[in-house]
Amino acid sequence: MKSDLPMMPIGEVRYRERARVRGRVRSVRITPFGDTSTLEAVVADDTGGILVVFYGRPKIGGIDLGRRIEIQGMAGLHRTYLAVINPEYTLLPAASTRWQGTRIGHGLRRMTCPTAR
């Protein structure tokens, strides 16, 4: 992925701003969406986590627990969570240490709709 957008910590990603981040896939799930399925993954670094959503894609080769990934796209909302929808992504080489994720919560930030009062 070629980009002039600077890399940022996941904890600094803001709603409706373009973001480019790196982290590890902490969880993956497939959810129904209309007549198809959607892949949802939480990508996290030391500063937090962000939901990454791929509409209409129930499986993407290489997006597995513990995989390092770089994503880029517009931050928005998905089920009240800060998310990047259908981002550009690059799978990164595996690190030399084995990652194991068991933490609940994944550092996701729940958002409220800015127009709802």
Side-chain angles (χ1 to χ4, degrees):
M1 166 182 2
K2 199 170 191 180
S3 175
D4 292 334
L5 196 61
M7 193 69 63
M8 67 174 48
I10 291 174
E12 292 181 11
V13 174
R14 300 290 173 247
Y15 176 67
R16 289 193 175 179
E17 291 185 5
R18 290 194 54 78
R20 181 173 164 224
V21 298
R22 284 185 181 165
R24 289 196 184 277
V25 176
R26 183 155 296 163
S27 70
V28 177
R29 76 178 185 170
I30 300 164
T31 58
F33 186 76
D35 293 337
T36 187
S37 296
T38 297
L39 181 98
E40 296 178 4
V42 173
V43 175
D45 66 10
D46 292 338
T47 66
I50 191 161
L51 187 61
V52 181
V53 181
F54 296 92
Y55 287 125
R57 304 214 32 210
K59 177 74 176 147
I60 298 176
I63 297 186
D64 299 309
L65 287 178
R67 183 65 186 251
R68 293 178 58 235
I69 189 171
E70 179 178 319
I71 62 165
Q72 177 177 304
M74 180 67 70
L77 294 179
H78 180 74
R79 301 179 196 228
T80 72
Y81 289 102
L82 186 65
V84 180
I85 311 295
N86 293 327
E88 293 180 53
Y89 68 94
T90 301
L91 298 172
L92 301 173
S96 58
T97 59
R98 182 163 173 78
W99 180 87
Q100 295 179 349
T102 56
R103 196 172 73 161
I104 304 291
H106 308 296
L108 289 178
R109 290 179 283 160
R110 190 174 292 275
M111 307 292 283
T112 57
C113 181
T115 58
R117 303 251 183 241

